[in-house]
């Protein structure tokens, strides 16, 4: 979905993608989920972080695609990689071994502690649950990477009071939960949406709206969030996309469509 | 030792009703042609195993041949849902589908344990996830050296593993490269192994980083050029992304799907090799 913002120079999706890429400015290595995270990570390589090492769960380390891959197994990811390893090696040595900075994930449902559901949704009494794709690499990516970024569109369907299923732990139910479970990484550091950016409060681990994208409002965020989301006293506004960022993003997408 | 034989005879011999079958390939080298032969022969009541069930498992499930799915992520990569998979889980069409659901790390380690002929594998996984509550193949074990509690996942030992590879030689030694996924582990974990290949060569040129499965761990090799389409075989063919996108509307509707299957897989003359 590409909803034009007021001045129609860029879409709300583009705001989300550009801001997600900016969140990788200081990363060394990124374990990349397909879809929006992959868009963000490839845009980061084209803009704020040319040296970023992209790692895909299909086994590629250091992929340098010139277009957006349709899938994590796209041939270009393997052909442009520094190396290709087996899937057991990827998960055991590189991920569980604690060698990856940032895990970048999408989500179907997220709650106030940035826990994630990608498994199944409750469709109401007497009806079978609705199927989602499943866990994939996410539980261990979120557990073992140094920190986690989430990117997804903002709606009440996605930002829910209570997850129907916890596929992947974010901050559990508070700041102590990750340590109690012995999860090595720091967990979700930001949730980037088409309306703004939410970050966990260090004291409570609960997500707080810390920045709005140009054109978005607190009321729109509240209307699209299934709980009473706190707003930071220092609420900021993200910088609009630069012409270079927009050009790079559109070039990546256009190249992908030619395939 | 691997026999080099026709796909029809290899599938008829090695894949049986009620088997646990792994058709692996991490978006690359997916054994579509072999799976289509399973559909043509109507081999049924299967437990299908794969980390990333995608379009070919959607077809097997929609054909009504699958009783149970062991997996970690089921979708049409980059496109969306698997509609036949969802219809089976949500509505029991054309038959109910049992699930044994894991994370990728768990599945990868289940194959490693299977290939190692160990009863289980350990990993620092599943913590904080609801997944263990849904399956009896994840438990915990305490490290005898440090006291740390770790996840234990049961070994996977398929009755038969089916993979596609680039090449074999006349003795039935198989070579594959590119994204090698979890194919080596899935093959070594299995009781029987069927490999389709792009071509037979006189001599296997060494490939840096490639995988060789020697003939003595394989039962049958079948020459099936293009046998991974619409996935791809690095060095031979590229991924048919348009097919994955076209699959979405085909699979959404039961009748459209059934007609597609009849015309393209089960129909007279379809896929005879």
């Amino acid at each position: 979905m590409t909803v034009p913002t007021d001045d129609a120079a860029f879409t709300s999706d583009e705001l989300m993608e550009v801001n997600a890429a900016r969140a990788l400015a200081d990363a060394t290595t990124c374990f990349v989920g397909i879809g929006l995270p992959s868009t963000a990570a490839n845009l980061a390589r084209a803009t704020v972080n040319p040296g970023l090492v992209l790692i895909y769960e299909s086994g590629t380390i250091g992929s340098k695609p010139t277009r957006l891959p349709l899938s994590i197994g796209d041939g270009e990811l393997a052909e442009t990689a520094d190396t290709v390893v087996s899937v057991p090696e990827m998960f055991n040595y590189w991920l569980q071994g604690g060698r990856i900075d940032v895990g970048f994930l999408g989500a179907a449902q997220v709650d106030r502690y940035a826990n994630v559901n990608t498994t199944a949704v409750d469709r109401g009494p007497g009806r079978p649950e609705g199927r989602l794709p499943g866990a994939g690499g996410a539980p261990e990516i979120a557990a073992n990477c140094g920190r986690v970024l989430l990117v997804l569109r903002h709606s009440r369907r996605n930002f829910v009071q209570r997850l129907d299923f916890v596929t992947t732990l974010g901050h559990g139910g508070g700041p102590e939960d990750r340590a109690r479970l012995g999860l090595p990484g720091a967990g979700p550091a930001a949730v980037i949406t088409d309306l703004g950016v939410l970050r966990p409060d260090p004291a409570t681990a609960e997500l707080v709206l810390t920045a709005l994208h140009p054109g978005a409002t607190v009321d729109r965020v509240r209307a699209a969030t299934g709980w009473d989301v706190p707003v930071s006293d220092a609420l900021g506004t993200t910088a609009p996309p630069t012409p270079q960022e927009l050009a790079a993003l559109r070039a990546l997408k256009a190249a992908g469509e030619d395939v | 030792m691997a026999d080099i034989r026709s796909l029809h005879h290899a599938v008829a011999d090695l894949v049986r009703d009620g088997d646990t079958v792994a058709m692996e390939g991490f978006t690359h080298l997916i054994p579509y042609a072999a799976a289509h032969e399973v559909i043509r022969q109507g081999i049924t009541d299967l437990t299908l195993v794969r980390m990333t069930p995608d379009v070919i498992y959607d077809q097997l499930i929609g054909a009504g041949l699958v009783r149970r799915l062991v997996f970690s992520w089921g979708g049409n990569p980059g496109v969306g849902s698997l509609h036949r998979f969802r219809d089976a889980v949500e509505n029991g069409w054309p038959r109910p589908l049992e699930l044994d659901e894991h994370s990728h790390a768990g599945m990868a380690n289940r194959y490693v344990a299977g290939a190692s002929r160990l009863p289980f594998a350990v990993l620092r996984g599943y913590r904080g996830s609801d997944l263990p509550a849904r399956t009896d193949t994840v438990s915990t074990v305490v490290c005898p050296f440090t006291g740390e509690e770790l996840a234990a996942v049961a070994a996977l030992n398929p009755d038969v593993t089916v993979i596609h590879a680039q090449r074999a030689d006349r003795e039935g030694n198989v070579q594959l490269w590119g994204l090698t996924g979890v194919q080596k582990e899935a093959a070594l974990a299995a009781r029987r192994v069927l490999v389709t290949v792009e071509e037979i060569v006189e001599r296997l040129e060494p490939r840096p980083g490639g995988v060789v499965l020697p003939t003595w761990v394989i039962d049958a090799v079948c020459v099936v050029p293009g046998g991974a389409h619409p996935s791809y075989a690095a060095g031979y063919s590229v991924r048919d992304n348009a097919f994955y996108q076209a699959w979405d509307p085909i699979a959404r509707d039961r009748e459209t799907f059934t007609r597609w299957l009849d015309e393209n897989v089960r129909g007279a003359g379809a896929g005879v090799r």
Side-chain angles (χ1 to χ4, degrees), chain B residues 73-256:
Chain B
W73 189 90
N76 184 346
V79 179
S81 291
L82 292 180
H83 300 292
R84 295 299 94 226
F85 160 63
R86 285 187 58 175
D87 201 12
V89 174
E90 295 175 3
N91 308 307
W93 192 92
R95 64 189 286 182
L97 182 65
E98 294 171 30
L99 300 180
D100 184 19
E101 196 164 353
H102 285 265
S103 67
H104 278 350
M107 282 291 287
N109 280 289
R110 294 190 70 190
Y111 278 127
V112 168
S116 309
R117 294 299 190 267
L118 285 168
F120 66 91
V122 295
L123 66 153
R124 195 177 279 116
Y126 294 95
R127 291 176 181 177
S129 170
D130 288 342
L131 283 169
R134 288 202 170 196
T135 173
D136 57 8
T137 49
V138 177
S139 186
T140 56
V141 65
V142 175
C143 170
F145 305 106
T146 65
E148 182 181 2
E149 188 178 273
L150 296 161
V153 287
L156 264 171
N157 290 104
D159 292 308
V160 53
T161 286
V162 181
I163 59 172
H164 186 76
Q166 281 99 339
R167 290 175 182 169
D169 64 18
R170 293 189 184 284
E171 279 68 56
N173 299 295
V174 166
Q175 185 183 46
L176 64 151
W177 65 89
L179 293 177
T180 54
V182 74
Q183 283 98 311
K184 178 159 85 175
E185 289 76 13
L188 295 179
R191 294 175 182 88
R192 302 186 290 277
V193 181
L194 189 165
V195 186
T196 56
V197 295
E198 291 289 321
E199 64 172 335
I200 298 275
V201 296
E202 289 300 323
R203 183 177 162 274
L204 293 175
E205 298 277 337
R207 283 268 167 180
V211 171
V212 170
L213 290 168
T215 180
W216 40 271
V217 302
I218 295 169
D219 293 277
V221 171
C222 311
V223 184
V224 187
H229 180 269
S231 78
Y232 67 109
Y236 287 79
S237 61
V238 297
R239 197 169 186 273
D240 185 354
N241 284 334
F243 182 87
Y244 286 88
Q245 282 156 340
W247 182 250
D248 190 81
I250 294 168
R252 268 179 197 275
D253 178 72
R254 292 174 183 173
E255 285 181 22
T256 310

Side-chain angles (χ1 to χ4, degrees), chain A residues 57-58 60 70-73 75 84 87 91-92 96 119 123 128-131 133 135-137 140 165-167 181-182, chain B residues 26-27 72-74 77-78 86 90 99 101 103-104 109 123-130 134 178-179 181 232 239 241:
Chain A
E57 65 194 13
S58 52
T60 68
L70 179 69
S71 90
I72 49 150
V84 176
V87 168
F91 280 95
N92 287 342
Q96 187 173 266
T119 300
R123 297 195 300 178
E129 64 184 20
R131 234 357 269 197
E140 285 85 12
F165 187 95
V166 179
T167 309
L181 287 163
Chain B
F26 212 89
T27 73
S72 42
W73 189 90
R86 285 187 58 175
E90 295 175 3
L99 300 180
E101 196 164 353
S103 67
H104 278 350
N109 280 289
L123 66 153
R124 195 177 279 116
Y126 294 95
R127 291 176 181 177
S129 170
D130 288 342
R134 288 202 170 196
L179 293 177
Y232 67 109
R239 197 169 186 273
N241 284 334

Side-chain angles (χ1 to χ4, degrees), chain A residues 80-92:
Chain A
T80 62
D82 296 328
T83 187
V84 176
V85 302
S86 75
V87 168
E89 178 177 328
M90 176 58 76
F91 280 95
N92 287 342

Side-chain angles (χ1 to χ4, degrees), chain B residues 250-271:
Chain B
I250 294 168
R252 268 179 197 275
D253 178 72
R254 292 174 183 173
E255 285 181 22
T256 310
F257 161 77
T258 304
R259 196 164 55 242
W260 184 91
L261 202 65
D262 285 343
E263 287 172 3
N264 294 281
V265 181
R266 289 194 287 224

